Amino acid sequence: MGLSSPRNGMSPVTHAGAPGLRPSHPTRLLPRCALALVLCLLAACRAGESVATVVNESEATEILTVLYEHRIEGRKEEFGEEGARRWRVLVGAGDVASANQVLQDYGLPRPSDQGREGARDSGLFQTDSAEKARRLKEIETEIERQLRLLPGVVRVKVNVSPAAGDLLELNPPPATASVVIVCKDKQPTFTDENVRKLVAGGAPKLKPENVTVAVAYEPPRFVAGRESGGRRSVVLKFALISAAVLCLLLGALIALHLRRQRGRQAGAPNGEGELPGEAPASLPDPGARRLNAGQKAAQASASGSAAARVE
């Protein structure tokens, strides 16, 4: 009984000495694995951790500029629904600590307290004291925003005490204010008199001589790795891209080697001495063996009987 022919008209292929088993095809998996590796590497290069979230794009750009000055690479990303858009600033995982320290030294991101724009969100009915407190908070917020525009200012805190509104008092206390400014420059380019005028101009019935100003000097702290942070990020990206390219080249070389090896096997004689163009020799049939044995026994008995008759 001969070997059964394989399906679909394909010749049987041996693998590791076992007939009828088709060899695995690693060349089919190599492009997929290489593509998955490249996508993972690109995602790793693109990923980052958020260090700040702001409500406008201009402040996000300012934060990126400050980080870039300290050799920290980052990017901004917009998110949120329409009408409530926000921007987050992302840096590499290895630069999170340095970025947080730099932003703290520069007072970024700025407080998101509402100033005059908060009046649009106020309720229809409010008590007189609540309305006065809201209005006072708006005044202080607007003054702090103006003072942050001064060069070198990191943090600002303003407290305004409005003038008394009791008409029955003979000598009502005047409006006063106190200002604390934290500056990163040891010698600020502005004077206390400039600050008093700015504060007095932002609050009603407030005179410059009734404004107390305190300026504190706080230099930026040294952050380890600031100088090499950007260079390290570039080197990491280059290494990841190089690894992806090497994997692709290695996969291509392996595929070429396997293809050449299959070509050699197809052009060389098989293990039984038969060429590929010749029909494979059929294996001996056990039934035929039994038939031959019976024929030989019959011939032997016939030969014995003939010899007996001759005698």
Side-chain angles (χ1 to χ4, degrees):
M1 183 173 58
L3 291 175
S4 60
S5 61
R7 298 180 180 178
N8 300 329
M10 298 178 63
S11 60
V13 181
T14 59
H15 178 63
L21 296 179
R22 294 184 61 85
S24 60
H25 294 279
T27 56
R28 298 178 181 178
L29 299 178
L30 285 174
R32 301 177 184 177
C33 295
L35 179 60
L37 179 61
V38 172
L39 293 178
C40 292
L41 292 176
L42 292 177
C45 293
R46 186 66 177 171
E49 296 190 18
S50 176
V51 294
T53 301
V54 295
V55 296
N56 54 73
E57 188 176 7
S58 60
E59 189 170 357
T61 303
E62 182 183 1
I63 292 175
L64 289 176
T65 303
V66 173
L67 294 177
Y68 181 77
E69 291 175 354
H70 292 80
R71 306 295 180 87
I72 299 176
E73 293 185 357
R75 60 184 179 88
K76 59 184 176 181
E77 180 180 353
E78 184 179 5
F79 69 98
E81 299 179 356
E82 190 66 29
R85 296 288 185 181
R86 290 177 177 270
W87 282 262
R88 64 167 62 99
V89 178
L90 305 173
V91 299
D95 295 327
V96 173
S98 301
N100 287 329
Q101 185 169 331
V102 170
L103 295 182
Q104 184 179 1
D105 292 343
Y106 282 81
L108 298 171
R110 296 185 178 88
S112 58
D113 296 336
Q114 292 183 337
R116 294 191 181 96
E117 69 274 11
R120 297 192 298 266
D121 300 331
S122 61
L124 297 177
F125 303 99
Q126 289 186 347
T127 62
D128 186 48
S129 59
E131 179 65 22
K132 289 181 179 179
R134 184 185 63 81
R135 177 56 183 163
L136 182 60
K137 182 61 177 177
E138 293 175 3
I139 292 174
E140 293 175 349
T141 302
E142 291 296 333
I143 294 175
E144 290 175 355
R145 288 179 178 177
Q146 290 182 350
L147 295 178
R148 287 195 193 96
L149 297 177
L150 295 175
V153 174
V154 177
R155 292 185 296 275
V156 177
K157 180 60 180 176
V158 176
N159 290 320
V160 177
S161 178
D166 193 353
L167 299 178
L168 298 179
E169 294 186 11
L170 296 179
N171 294 318
T176 58
S178 60
V179 182
V180 177
I181 298 177
V182 178
C183 187
K184 65 182 180 65
D185 299 330
K186 192 171 184 180
Q187 297 294 334
T189 57
F190 55 88
T191 62
D192 293 352
E193 188 63 27
N194 299 138
V195 176
R196 292 190 181 95
K197 290 181 179 179
L198 287 174
V199 176
K205 300 180 181 180
L206 180 60
K207 298 180 180 180
E209 56 268 20
N210 294 330
V211 178
T212 304
V213 179
V215 179
Y217 168 61
E218 184 178 289
R221 294 168 293 177
F222 174 76
V223 178
R226 283 185 181 181
E227 297 298 328
S228 60
R231 187 178 305 172
R232 183 175 62 252
S233 178
V234 173
V235 172
L236 178 60
K237 291 180 180 180
F238 179 77
L240 293 176
I241 295 174
S242 301
V245 173
L246 290 177
C247 289
L248 291 176
L249 292 177
L250 180 60
L253 292 177
I254 293 175
L256 182 60
H257 175 71
L258 293 177
R259 184 174 301 177
R260 290 181 176 177
Q261 187 175 6
R262 287 199 301 268
R264 294 193 189 99
Q265 292 177 355
N270 53 25
E272 298 178 356
E274 297 171 351
L275 294 177
E278 299 177 354
S282 60
L283 296 177
D285 191 354
R289 291 180 179 178
R290 289 194 297 269
L291 180 59
N292 294 333
Q295 291 177 353
K296 291 180 179 180
Q299 292 177 358
S301 62
S303 299
S305 60
R309 287 196 298 268
V310 170
E311 292 177 358

